[in-house]
DNA sequence: GTGGTCTAGACCACC
DNA sequence: GTGGTCTAGACCACG
């Protein structure tokens, strides 16, 4: 069953990252990793609403943006699908580094606010990697 | 010079984390790391305003929250100070793991939204660590 | 109609007591008197803004402080509610006496500044009490 | 010793009433009650500063305003004195009622914020009156 | 110089 | 519609 792709997604309210953007991220991520491909059917708004307790309007907003950027196509009364030729965003090497930098720095700042050090962060990441080498 | 503690702080606009919360994080972090101690004077609202080009009200909001939560004490017309007995938030092992999980997951999701993989993230973090082994 | 609780509140500008603190006082008072209970919805920021001609930001500041002190909980896009377990501040006998002393002394001093005597104050209070024996 | 008039004054920081206005109030009050009369010498700025831990500038501001309104006269290097013909502010009956109303309402609101009722306030005032019938 | 309060108005996320 | 964040700018009290 194709809809299973979203079963390990997580939505964090109060994370600062808009919920609708988290949904977009998850879909783009699935696209990049290959778990979603051209023509695949996305979970319906109702499904996401029920699974993550996200307001349907918020899901709709995510899908609307994805449609505007040409990633998905919505067929009325039939659901939404990954568009033919949809490509996950490609960043230049430089932009990638910058993004990574930015993400990491943010994580550090937030962690620091809770009294967590960079070493603790790194240890956690490494251990996590060891625990789930497959997946 | 005591005021120097904030000279390496950084504020990221558009990071999703409210600016005022970033300021709070920086202060809590400094408290946890020991670079700020009981009785130390914080940078004035206007200093932070000028240094980071943040609106004074935004800084004031951060300081107000810190005061309400018992971390700092404000003396009218005289500045703000780390309160006697102010304790950096102490998390249990479990809560720490949870926080770390949450931060990391968030970073992953966002990175994925840009087409960046977990491996890229980890590589970036490791390299960064190698580049600045000290400090 | 639940929202009616705030219909007899009054805000005095130029009283020396910050407007946002007056709002907090009114809510704490309603909590203590029982006219607001766990789970009750507070008037929205915009309602108070319109009713008292107070800037929405000022109302928001009051609500924010109430949230930080654990009295109310705010649901984004949905309003603010009295938190489960919210307790009106309980003062010891001694502290009560002290507070009452302090309030009264303050009133006396101010009255005196206008040439009003303690007797005039007391008479006024007693007459007021006689006029509105109920409610 | 004339300077004794201010020995029972009290200054409340954080009461919302500006400190300099509290000083003014005390002096006007003393004038109304007769404990200060034409030609009497006021406590020096330094005295008030030391006794109440009020910044000298703040005392100076109070005296400056009193001078502007014609209540006191300052002789350089010699101190400040109640001016000949100085009269405590006289309010019309109506204004008096209004002031009293306003003071009382404020006291009620503040007390309510601490969970204190009007009855408690009234009882406190009555008891206080009984305890110190003289003075 | 310090912080505190308030206003006005903008934009955003969420219901 | 709800609250959240931020800016800009004013005025005040206090040191």
């Amino acid at each position: 069953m194709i809809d299973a792709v979203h079963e390990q997604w997580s939505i964090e309210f109060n994370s600062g990252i808009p919920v609708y953007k988290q949904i977009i991220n998850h879909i783009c991520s699935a696209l990049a990793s290959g778990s979603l491909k051209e023509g695949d059917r996305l979970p319906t708004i109702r499904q996401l609403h029920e699974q993550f307790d996200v307001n349907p309007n918020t899901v709709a907003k995510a899908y609307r943006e994805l449609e505007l950027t040409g990633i998905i196509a919505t067929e009325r009364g039939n659901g939404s699908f990954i568009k033919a030729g949809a490509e996950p965003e490609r960043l230049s090497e430089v932009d990638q580094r910058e993004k990574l930098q930015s993400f990491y720095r943010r994580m550090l700042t937030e962690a620091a606010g809770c009294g967590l050090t960079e070493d603790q962060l790194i240890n956690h990441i490494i251990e996590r990697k060891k625990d789930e080498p497959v997946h």
Side-chain angles (χ1 to χ4, degrees), chain A:
Chain A
M1 184 198 188
I2 284 178
D3 286 9
V5 293
H6 64 283
E7 275 174 18
Q8 36 182 319
W9 293 358
S10 70
I11 300 291
E12 297 190 72
F13 304 87
N14 301 323
S15 75
I17 300 150
V19 172
Y20 81 93
K21 208 164 260 176
Q22 291 182 49
I23 297 173
I24 294 177
N25 283 341
H26 277 125
I27 290 172
C28 289
S29 159
L31 195 57
S33 76
S35 49
L36 275 179
K37 300 185 207 60
E38 281 186 22
D40 280 354
R41 189 171 193 265
L42 294 173
T44 66
I45 287 178
R46 197 198 175 98
Q47 276 175 326
L48 290 187
H49 155 59
E50 285 174 358
Q51 184 172 355
F52 298 114
D53 198 29
V54 171
N55 188 285
N57 287 324
T58 304
V59 184
K61 181 171 183 179
Y63 280 18
R64 208 179 319 122
E65 284 213 6
L66 283 166
E67 191 163 15
L68 284 175
T69 51
I71 311 248
I72 72 173
T74 296
E75 298 180 15
R76 228 189 119 166
N78 196 16
S80 299
F81 302 84
I82 302 291
K83 240 180 164 172
E87 276 292 319
E89 200 183 353
R90 278 271 160 262
L91 294 174
S92 72
E93 183 102 359
V94 178
D95 286 348
Q96 277 194 5
R97 282 196 69 82
E98 233 167 58
K99 282 277 184 196
L100 288 168
Q101 269 291 61
S102 157
F103 290 147
Y104 189 54
R105 203 158 5 131
R106 233 178 68 208
M107 189 161 130
L108 277 183
T109 306
E110 279 200 273
C114 307
L116 299 170
T117 67
E118 179 164 10
D119 287 340
Q120 285 177 299
L121 254 178
I122 292 177
N123 284 338
H124 176 265
I125 293 169
I126 291 172
E127 277 186 29
R128 198 189 115 102
K129 189 67 187 171
K130 270 191 283 189
D131 290 356
E132 322 175 12
V134 205
H135 150 74

